[in-house]
Amino acid sequence: MQTAIKNQAEILAKLRIEKLNPMQEAAQEAIQQHSDVVLLSPTGTGKTLAFLLPIIQNLEGSCTEVQVLILVPSRELAIQIEQVIREMGTGFKANAVYGGRPASKERMELKHRPAILVGTPGRVADHLRREVFSVEKIKTLVLDEFDKSLEVGFELEMMEIIASLPQLQKKILTSATNETEIPKFVKLKSPKLLDFSDTGDSSLEIQLVLSPDRDKLGTLVDTLNRLGDQPGIVFCNFKDSIERISQYLVDHGIKHGVFYGGMEQIDRERALIQFRNGTYQLLLATDLAARGIDIPELKFIIHYHLPNSGPEFTHRNGRTARMNSGGTAYVLQWEKEDLPDFIAELQPKSGRVRDVLESTTTAAVAMKTLFISGGRKDKISKGDIAGLFFKQGQLEKEQLGIIEIKNDCAFVAVAASEAMRLIKSLNNAKLKNKKVRVTEV
C-alpha cells in the first residue's frame, strides 16, 4: 500500500473543500471522543465526510485486514461512499460489496483486504458466512442511513453481522430523520447524540398543485412544462406507475430517465450517470432515490404519489434545497383528495398549476452520454479522455461535459449535436496504448 495520508488539510484540498461545516466539525469531535455516536443531519449536508475524516485518523497503516465496516441500505450508497474514499486519496483501500453483481468477483477483490469495507447487509452477511474476510481487526462499525438499514427487511442480517464483530470499539449511526427506535441488538452504550436535523432546510418551499383529475398525468405534464428544463425528480410509489408515467411523458415529448429497485444494477448506475451529467434533466424514481445517491443539485422535486410516512417525505424533500440553497417540493393533489397530517400541518400554498407556477424558458444544452471501454485498471485518467476528445475529436471546451471513470469503463457527456461524429472518429482510438470502443449509452 502507498504511504497513507491522514492530514486533513491535504484531504480537503483533494476534495476541493475549503472548510468543514458546523455539523462536520461537531461530528469529528464527537466521534473522536465517544465510543458511540448518533448523527442526525439533513440529506446533502456532508454526513459521509463527517464520519470518514475521524475514521481515517484512527486507521492503522500496517494492518492488512478490514478495520472499518460501513453498512448501507442501498447499492448506490455503497458505491458513492467507496467513490468518496477514493477521491480523498489517503492511500487506504476501500471496497464496496452489494447485490446485483457477482459475489465471486467480490471474493477475488477481497483477497487483497481493504481497510474500509462498505456494503449492503445481505451481501456483507453472505461474505461473513463464507469467512471471506477476518472480523478480528474490525473496531469501527458505521450504520449509514440507519433508519432504513434497521427496517424489518434487514433486521436478521443486521443482527447476524453485529453479533459476529467481537472487537468493536466504536459505533456511528447516521440519518436525516429521528423517527426510528434503535433496536437493542445494536448495543449502543450512552451514545452521544448530534441532532442537526432541523438545520439546513429553511429555504425549502412546499406547494400543493391541485389536479382536477384523479389521474394526475395531465397536471404533471403542465407542471413540468412550466418548470422548464431544470434538474428535478418526480417521485412515485410503484414501479408500474413509473412505467406508465414514463410512456405518457415520452408521448408528450418530455425527456427523462427512470430509476427504481426492479431495474438491473447496470441500468440503475447508468441512469444516475446520465442524470448527473445532464443527458437527462428529469428523473422518474421511487423512494430509492430519496437518500444516499450522488446526484446534482436539484431545483425541484414533485410528489406524484405521496409517501407513506413523514420521514420519507423529509428524505424526498432533502434532494432539493440542499446546504441552504433554494428549492421547491411540489405535491400533486387531486382536488377531492385528503392530505395526510404530516403535510397538512406544514400549511403549504395551494392552487392550480397556473396559480402556483410561473412559466420559465430555462433550456439546458442538449447532452448525450458516450461509453468508453477503458477505465482505472487501464491507467486511464479524466485528463487522458479530455485530451482525446479535444485533440482527435476536435471538440470545443463547452461541448464536453462531465467525465466519470469506473474500474473498467468510463462515461463522457458531450453535446448531443456532436455525439455521432465523435463515435465515428473516436471508436477504436487508443488511450494509454489500449484500443477502446466508443458507443452511445
Side-chain angles (χ1 to χ4, degrees), residues 234-251:
V234 177
F235 280 105
C236 310
N237 289 349
F238 311 105
K239 165 191 167 184
D240 291 347
S241 299
I242 287 182
E243 293 173 346
R244 184 174 67 93
I245 295 167
S246 177
Q247 186 58 56
Y248 192 84
L249 295 186
V250 168
D251 294 342

mmCIF file with all atom_site columns, all heavy atoms in Angstrom, residues 234-251:
data_model
loop_
_atom_site.group_PDB
_atom_site.id
_atom_site.type_symbol
_atom_site.label_atom_id
_atom_site.label_alt_id
_atom_site.label_comp_id
_atom_site.label_asym_id
_atom_site.label_entity_id
_atom_site.label_seq_id
_atom_site.pdbx_PDB_ins_code
_atom_site.Cartn_x
_atom_site.Cartn_y
_atom_site.Cartn_z
_atom_site.occupancy
_atom_site.B_iso_or_equiv
_atom_site.pdbx_formal_charge
_atom_site.auth_seq_id
_atom_site.auth_comp_id
_atom_site.auth_asym_id
_atom_site.auth_atom_id
_atom_site.pdbx_PDB_model_num
ATOM 1   N N   . VAL A 1 234 ? -39.266 13.356 -10.119 1.00 0.00 ? 234 VAL A N   1
ATOM 2   C CA  . VAL A 1 234 ? -40.677 13.057 -9.868  1.00 0.00 ? 234 VAL A CA  1
ATOM 3   C C   . VAL A 1 234 ? -40.729 11.753 -9.080  1.00 0.00 ? 234 VAL A C   1
ATOM 4   O O   . VAL A 1 234 ? -40.290 10.705 -9.575  1.00 0.00 ? 234 VAL A O   1
ATOM 5   C CB  . VAL A 1 234 ? -41.472 12.916 -11.185 1.00 0.00 ? 234 VAL A CB  1
ATOM 6   C CG1 . VAL A 1 234 ? -42.924 12.544 -10.882 1.00 0.00 ? 234 VAL A CG1 1
ATOM 7   C CG2 . VAL A 1 234 ? -41.407 14.209 -11.994 1.00 0.00 ? 234 VAL A CG2 1
ATOM 8   N N   . PHE A 1 235 ? -41.237 11.807 -7.861  1.00 0.00 ? 235 PHE A N   1
ATOM 9   C CA  . PHE A 1 235 ? -41.291 10.616 -7.007  1.00 0.00 ? 235 PHE A CA  1
ATOM 10  C C   . PHE A 1 235 ? -42.619 9.890  -7.160  1.00 0.00 ? 235 PHE A C   1
ATOM 11  O O   . PHE A 1 235 ? -43.692 10.507 -7.096  1.00 0.00 ? 235 PHE A O   1
ATOM 12  C CB  . PHE A 1 235 ? -41.096 10.994 -5.536  1.00 0.00 ? 235 PHE A CB  1
ATOM 13  C CG  . PHE A 1 235 ? -39.662 11.203 -5.156  1.00 0.00 ? 235 PHE A CG  1
ATOM 14  C CD1 . PHE A 1 235 ? -39.163 12.487 -4.954  1.00 0.00 ? 235 PHE A CD1 1
ATOM 15  C CD2 . PHE A 1 235 ? -38.803 10.124 -5.007  1.00 0.00 ? 235 PHE A CD2 1
ATOM 16  C CE1 . PHE A 1 235 ? -37.844 12.689 -4.599  1.00 0.00 ? 235 PHE A CE1 1
ATOM 17  C CE2 . PHE A 1 235 ? -37.476 10.316 -4.654  1.00 0.00 ? 235 PHE A CE2 1
ATOM 18  C CZ  . PHE A 1 235 ? -36.990 11.603 -4.452  1.00 0.00 ? 235 PHE A CZ  1
ATOM 19  N N   . CYS A 1 236 ? -42.539 8.583  -7.346  1.00 0.00 ? 236 CYS A N   1
ATOM 20  C CA  . CYS A 1 236 ? -43.709 7.708  -7.447  1.00 0.00 ? 236 CYS A CA  1
ATOM 21  C C   . CYS A 1 236 ? -43.534 6.558  -6.462  1.00 0.00 ? 236 CYS A C   1
ATOM 22  O O   . CYS A 1 236 ? -42.417 6.270  -6.018  1.00 0.00 ? 236 CYS A O   1
ATOM 23  C CB  . CYS A 1 236 ? -43.844 7.144  -8.862  1.00 0.00 ? 236 CYS A CB  1
ATOM 24  S SG  . CYS A 1 236 ? -43.755 8.386  -10.169 1.00 0.00 ? 236 CYS A SG  1
ATOM 25  N N   . ASN A 1 237 ? -44.626 5.886  -6.145  1.00 0.00 ? 237 ASN A N   1
ATOM 26  C CA  . ASN A 1 237 ? -44.552 4.807  -5.156  1.00 0.00 ? 237 ASN A CA  1
ATOM 27  C C   . ASN A 1 237 ? -44.355 3.431  -5.758  1.00 0.00 ? 237 ASN A C   1
ATOM 28  O O   . ASN A 1 237 ? -43.953 2.501  -5.047  1.00 0.00 ? 237 ASN A O   1
ATOM 29  C CB  . ASN A 1 237 ? -45.819 4.794  -4.287  1.00 0.00 ? 237 ASN A CB  1
ATOM 30  C CG  . ASN A 1 237 ? -45.879 5.968  -3.338  1.00 0.00 ? 237 ASN A CG  1
ATOM 31  O OD1 . ASN A 1 237 ? -44.902 6.691  -3.165  1.00 0.00 ? 237 ASN A OD1 1
ATOM 32  N ND2 . ASN A 1 237 ? -47.034 6.188  -2.729  1.00 0.00 ? 237 ASN A ND2 1
ATOM 33  N N   . PHE A 1 238 ? -44.628 3.283  -7.061  1.00 0.00 ? 238 PHE A N   1
ATOM 34  C CA  . PHE A 1 238 ? -44.642 1.938  -7.630  1.00 0.00 ? 238 PHE A CA  1
ATOM 35  C C   . PHE A 1 238 ? -43.906 1.887  -8.967  1.00 0.00 ? 238 PHE A C   1
ATOM 36  O O   . PHE A 1 238 ? -43.939 2.841  -9.757  1.00 0.00 ? 238 PHE A O   1
ATOM 37  C CB  . PHE A 1 238 ? -46.085 1.449  -7.833  1.00 0.00 ? 238 PHE A CB  1
ATOM 38  C CG  . PHE A 1 238 ? -46.961 1.637  -6.636  1.00 0.00 ? 238 PHE A CG  1
ATOM 39  C CD1 . PHE A 1 238 ? -47.909 2.649  -6.616  1.00 0.00 ? 238 PHE A CD1 1
ATOM 40  C CD2 . PHE A 1 238 ? -46.825 0.831  -5.523  1.00 0.00 ? 238 PHE A CD2 1
ATOM 41  C CE1 . PHE A 1 238 ? -48.726 2.840  -5.518  1.00 0.00 ? 238 PHE A CE1 1
ATOM 42  C CE2 . PHE A 1 238 ? -47.633 1.012  -4.414  1.00 0.00 ? 238 PHE A CE2 1
ATOM 43  C CZ  . PHE A 1 238 ? -48.586 2.021  -4.399  1.00 0.00 ? 238 PHE A CZ  1
ATOM 44  N N   . LYS A 1 239 ? -43.265 0.755  -9.208  1.00 0.00 ? 239 LYS A N   1
ATOM 45  C CA  . LYS A 1 239 ? -42.578 0.522  -10.480 1.00 0.00 ? 239 LYS A CA  1
ATOM 46  C C   . LYS A 1 239 ? -43.548 0.623  -11.649 1.00 0.00 ? 239 LYS A C   1
ATOM 47  O O   . LYS A 1 239 ? -43.249 1.241  -12.677 1.00 0.00 ? 239 LYS A O   1
ATOM 48  C CB  . LYS A 1 239 ? -41.936 -0.865 -10.442 1.00 0.00 ? 239 LYS A CB  1
ATOM 49  C CG  . LYS A 1 239 ? -41.490 -1.393 -11.799 1.00 0.00 ? 239 LYS A CG  1
ATOM 50  C CD  . LYS A 1 239 ? -41.128 -2.864 -11.708 1.00 0.00 ? 239 LYS A CD  1
ATOM 51  C CE  . LYS A 1 239 ? -41.004 -3.472 -13.089 1.00 0.00 ? 239 LYS A CE  1
ATOM 52  N NZ  . LYS A 1 239 ? -40.743 -4.921 -13.040 1.00 0.00 ? 239 LYS A NZ  1
ATOM 53  N N   . ASP A 1 240 ? -44.747 0.011  -11.513 1.00 0.00 ? 240 ASP A N   1
ATOM 54  C CA  . ASP A 1 240 ? -45.722 0.041  -12.611 1.00 0.00 ? 240 ASP A CA  1
ATOM 55  C C   . ASP A 1 240 ? -46.148 1.465  -12.939 1.00 0.00 ? 240 ASP A C   1
ATOM 56  O O   . ASP A 1 240 ? -46.375 1.805  -14.106 1.00 0.00 ? 240 ASP A O   1
ATOM 57  C CB  . ASP A 1 240 ? -46.954 -0.804 -12.248 1.00 0.00 ? 240 ASP A CB  1
ATOM 58  C CG  . ASP A 1 240 ? -46.639 -2.289 -12.189 1.00 0.00 ? 240 ASP A CG  1
ATOM 59  O OD1 . ASP A 1 240 ? -45.556 -2.677 -12.665 1.00 0.00 ? 240 ASP A OD1 1
ATOM 60  O OD2 . ASP A 1 240 ? -47.468 -3.053 -11.652 1.00 0.00 ? 240 ASP A OD2 1
ATOM 61  N N   . SER A 1 241 ? -46.254 2.294  -11.908 1.00 0.00 ? 241 SER A N   1
ATOM 62  C CA  . SER A 1 241 ? -46.626 3.691  -12.133 1.00 0.00 ? 241 SER A CA  1
ATOM 63  C C   . SER A 1 241 ? -45.545 4.415  -12.921 1.00 0.00 ? 241 SER A C   1
ATOM 64  O O   . SER A 1 241 ? -45.835 5.213  -13.821 1.00 0.00 ? 241 SER A O   1
ATOM 65  C CB  . SER A 1 241 ? -46.845 4.410  -10.797 1.00 0.00 ? 241 SER A CB  1
ATOM 66  O OG  . SER A 1 241 ? -47.885 3.810  -10.069 1.00 0.00 ? 241 SER A OG  1
ATOM 67  N N   . ILE A 1 242 ? -44.292 4.143  -12.595 1.00 0.00 ? 242 ILE A N   1
ATOM 68  C CA  . ILE A 1 242 ? -43.186 4.785  -13.309 1.00 0.00 ? 242 ILE A CA  1
ATOM 69  C C   . ILE A 1 242 ? -43.230 4.420  -14.782 1.00 0.00 ? 242 ILE A C   1
ATOM 70  O O   . ILE A 1 242 ? -43.057 5.278  -15.660 1.00 0.00 ? 242 ILE A O   1
ATOM 71  C CB  . ILE A 1 242 ? -41.834 4.388  -12.685 1.00 0.00 ? 242 ILE A CB  1
ATOM 72  C CG1 . ILE A 1 242 ? -41.659 5.107  -11.340 1.00 0.00 ? 242 ILE A CG1 1
ATOM 73  C CG2 . ILE A 1 242 ? -40.672 4.719  -13.625 1.00 0.00 ? 242 ILE A CG2 1
ATOM 74  C CD1 . ILE A 1 242 ? -40.350 4.825  -10.646 1.00 0.00 ? 242 ILE A CD1 1
ATOM 75  N N   . GLU A 1 243 ? -43.480 3.149  -15.079 1.00 0.00 ? 243 GLU A N   1
ATOM 76  C CA  . GLU A 1 243 ? -43.532 2.718  -16.480 1.00 0.00 ? 243 GLU A CA  1
ATOM 77  C C   . GLU A 1 243 ? -44.671 3.405  -17.220 1.00 0.00 ? 243 GLU A C   1
ATOM 78  O O   . GLU A 1 243 ? -44.523 3.825  -18.377 1.00 0.00 ? 243 GLU A O   1
ATOM 79  C CB  . GLU A 1 243 ? -43.662 1.192  -16.546 1.00 0.00 ? 243 GLU A CB  1
ATOM 80  C CG  . GLU A 1 243 ? -42.408 0.474  -16.026 1.00 0.00 ? 243 GLU A CG  1
ATOM 81  C CD  . GLU A 1 243 ? -42.581 -1.020 -15.931 1.00 0.00 ? 243 GLU A CD  1
ATOM 82  O OE1 . GLU A 1 243 ? -43.745 -1.498 -16.005 1.00 0.00 ? 243 GLU A OE1 1
ATOM 83  O OE2 . GLU A 1 243 ? -41.565 -1.730 -15.789 1.00 0.00 ? 243 GLU A OE2 1
ATOM 84  N N   . ARG A 1 244 ? -45.822 3.550  -16.566 1.00 0.00 ? 244 ARG A N   1
ATOM 85  C CA  . ARG A 1 244 ? -46.980 4.197  -17.195 1.00 0.00 ? 244 ARG A CA  1
ATOM 86  C C   . ARG A 1 244 ? -46.734 5.690  -17.389 1.00 0.00 ? 244 ARG A C   1
ATOM 87  O O   . ARG A 1 244 ? -46.992 6.256  -18.462 1.00 0.00 ? 244 ARG A O   1
ATOM 88  C CB  . ARG A 1 244 ? -48.226 3.969  -16.325 1.00 0.00 ? 244 ARG A CB  1
ATOM 89  C CG  . ARG A 1 244 ? -49.518 4.507  -16.902 1.00 0.00 ? 244 ARG A CG  1
ATOM 90  C CD  . ARG A 1 244 ? -50.683 4.087  -16.008 1.00 0.00 ? 244 ARG A CD  1
ATOM 91  N NE  . ARG A 1 244 ? -50.617 4.727  -14.709 1.00 0.00 ? 244 ARG A NE  1
ATOM 92  C CZ  . ARG A 1 244 ? -51.232 5.871  -14.411 1.00 0.00 ? 244 ARG A CZ  1
ATOM 93  N NH1 . ARG A 1 244 ? -51.934 6.511  -15.336 1.00 0.00 ? 244 ARG A NH1 1
ATOM 94  N NH2 . ARG A 1 244 ? -51.150 6.384  -13.200 1.00 0.00 ? 244 ARG A NH2 1
ATOM 95  N N   . ILE A 1 245 ? -46.202 6.346  -16.353 1.00 0.00 ? 245 ILE A N   1
ATOM 96  C CA  . ILE A 1 245 ? -45.926 7.781  -16.437 1.00 0.00 ? 245 ILE A CA  1
ATOM 97  C C   . ILE A 1 245 ? -44.836 8.049  -17.463 1.00 0.00 ? 245 ILE A C   1
ATOM 98  O O   . ILE A 1 245 ? -44.904 9.021  -18.227 1.00 0.00 ? 245 ILE A O   1
ATOM 99  C CB  . ILE A 1 245 ? -45.518 8.329  -15.053 1.00 0.00 ? 245 ILE A CB  1
ATOM 100 C CG1 . ILE A 1 245 ? -46.693 8.216  -14.077 1.00 0.00 ? 245 ILE A CG1 1
ATOM 101 C CG2 . ILE A 1 245 ? -45.076 9.790  -15.149 1.00 0.00 ? 245 ILE A CG2 1
ATOM 102 C CD1 . ILE A 1 245 ? -46.300 8.436  -12.632 1.00 0.00 ? 245 ILE A CD1 1
ATOM 103 N N   . SER A 1 246 ? -43.821 7.188  -17.490 1.00 0.00 ? 246 SER A N   1
ATOM 104 C CA  . SER A 1 246 ? -42.726 7.361  -18.440 1.00 0.00 ? 246 SER A CA  1
ATOM 105 C C   . SER A 1 246 ? -43.241 7.364  -19.873 1.00 0.00 ? 246 SER A C   1
ATOM 106 O O   . SER A 1 246 ? -42.852 8.216  -20.687 1.00 0.00 ? 246 SER A O   1
ATOM 107 C CB  . SER A 1 246 ? -41.690 6.238  -18.258 1.00 0.00 ? 246 SER A CB  1
ATOM 108 O OG  . SER A 1 246 ? -40.654 6.355  -19.211 1.00 0.00 ? 246 SER A OG  1
ATOM 109 N N   . GLN A 1 247 ? -44.119 6.434  -20.185 1.00 0.00 ? 247 GLN A N   1
ATOM 110 C CA  . GLN A 1 247 ? -44.668 6.387  -21.540 1.00 0.00 ? 247 GLN A CA  1
ATOM 111 C C   . GLN A 1 247 ? -45.473 7.640  -21.856 1.00 0.00 ? 247 GLN A C   1
ATOM 112 O O   . GLN A 1 247 ? -45.403 8.182  -22.969 1.00 0.00 ? 247 GLN A O   1
ATOM 113 C CB  . GLN A 1 247 ? -45.555 5.143  -21.704 1.00 0.00 ? 247 GLN A CB  1
ATOM 114 C CG  . GLN A 1 247 ? -46.050 4.934  -23.135 1.00 0.00 ? 247 GLN A CG  1
ATOM 115 C CD  . GLN A 1 247 ? -44.905 4.820  -24.124 1.00 0.00 ? 247 GLN A CD  1
ATOM 116 O OE1 . GLN A 1 247 ? -44.026 3.981  -23.985 1.00 0.00 ? 247 GLN A OE1 1
ATOM 117 N NE2 . GLN A 1 247 ? -44.912 5.688  -25.150 1.00 0.00 ? 247 GLN A NE2 1
ATOM 118 N N   . TYR A 1 248 ? -46.212 8.147  -20.872 1.00 0.00 ? 248 TYR A N   1
ATOM 119 C CA  . TYR A 1 248 ? -47.008 9.365  -21.068 1.00 0.00 ? 248 TYR A CA  1
ATOM 120 C C   . TYR A 1 248 ? -46.085 10.560 -21.337 1.00 0.00 ? 248 TYR A C   1
ATOM 121 O O   . TYR A 1 248 ? -46.362 11.393 -22.213 1.00 0.00 ? 248 TYR A O   1
ATOM 122 C CB  . TYR A 1 248 ? -47.862 9.623  -19.828 1.00 0.00 ? 248 TYR A CB  1
ATOM 123 C CG  . TYR A 1 248 ? -48.932 10.678 -20.021 1.00 0.00 ? 248 TYR A CG  1
ATOM 124 C CD1 . TYR A 1 248 ? -50.169 10.356 -20.577 1.00 0.00 ? 248 TYR A CD1 1
ATOM 125 C CD2 . TYR A 1 248 ? -48.707 12.000 -19.634 1.00 0.00 ? 248 TYR A CD2 1
ATOM 126 C CE1 . TYR A 1 248 ? -51.154 11.326 -20.754 1.00 0.00 ? 248 TYR A CE1 1
ATOM 127 C CE2 . TYR A 1 248 ? -49.678 12.971 -19.797 1.00 0.00 ? 248 TYR A CE2 1
ATOM 128 C CZ  . TYR A 1 248 ? -50.903 12.627 -20.353 1.00 0.00 ? 248 TYR A CZ  1
ATOM 129 O OH  . TYR A 1 248 ? -51.872 13.598 -20.531 1.00 0.00 ? 248 TYR A OH  1
ATOM 130 N N   . LEU A 1 249 ? -44.967 10.648 -20.613 1.00 0.00 ? 249 LEU A N   1
ATOM 131 C CA  . LEU A 1 249 ? -44.025 11.739 -20.835 1.00 0.00 ? 249 LEU A CA  1
ATOM 132 C C   . LEU A 1 249 ? -43.356 11.628 -22.199 1.00 0.00 ? 249 LEU A C   1
ATOM 133 O O   . LEU A 1 249 ? -43.131 12.639 -22.879 1.00 0.00 ? 249 LEU A O   1
ATOM 134 C CB  . LEU A 1 249 ? -42.959 11.758 -19.733 1.00 0.00 ? 249 LEU A CB  1
ATOM 135 C CG  . LEU A 1 249 ? -43.446 12.057 -18.303 1.00 0.00 ? 249 LEU A CG  1
ATOM 136 C CD1 . LEU A 1 249 ? -42.254 12.181 -17.362 1.00 0.00 ? 249 LEU A CD1 1
ATOM 137 C CD2 . LEU A 1 249 ? -44.295 13.314 -18.257 1.00 0.00 ? 249 LEU A CD2 1
ATOM 138 N N   . VAL A 1 250 ? -43.036 10.400 -22.606 1.00 0.00 ? 250 VAL A N   1
ATOM 139 C CA  . VAL A 1 250 ? -42.473 10.195 -23.945 1.00 0.00 ? 250 VAL A CA  1
ATOM 140 C C   . VAL A 1 250 ? -43.452 10.685 -25.003 1.00 0.00 ? 250 VAL A C   1
ATOM 141 O O   . VAL A 1 250 ? -43.075 11.397 -25.949 1.00 0.00 ? 250 VAL A O   1
ATOM 142 C CB  . VAL A 1 250 ? -42.130 8.700  -24.175 1.00 0.00 ? 250 VAL A CB  1
ATOM 143 C CG1 . VAL A 1 250 ? -41.828 8.441  -25.646 1.00 0.00 ? 250 VAL A CG1 1
ATOM 144 C CG2 . VAL A 1 250 ? -40.951 8.281  -23.310 1.00 0.00 ? 250 VAL A CG2 1
ATOM 145 N N   . ASP A 1 251 ? -44.721 10.328 -24.830 1.00 0.00 ? 251 ASP A N   1
ATOM 146 C CA  . ASP A 1 251 ? -45.759 10.740 -25.791 1.00 0.00 ? 251 ASP A CA  1
ATOM 147 C C   . ASP A 1 251 ? -45.898 12.256 -25.860 1.00 0.00 ? 251 ASP A C   1
ATOM 148 O O   . ASP A 1 251 ? -46.356 12.805 -26.876 1.00 0.00 ? 251 ASP A O   1
ATOM 149 C CB  . ASP A 1 251 ? -47.108 10.116 -25.418 1.00 0.00 ? 251 ASP A CB  1
ATOM 150 C CG  . ASP A 1 251 ? -47.107 8.597  -25.567 1.00 0.00 ? 251 ASP A CG  1
ATOM 151 O OD1 . ASP A 1 251 ? -46.214 8.075  -26.257 1.00 0.00 ? 251 ASP A OD1 1
ATOM 152 O OD2 . ASP A 1 251 ? -47.989 7.936  -24.975 1.00 0.00 ? 251 ASP A OD2 1
#
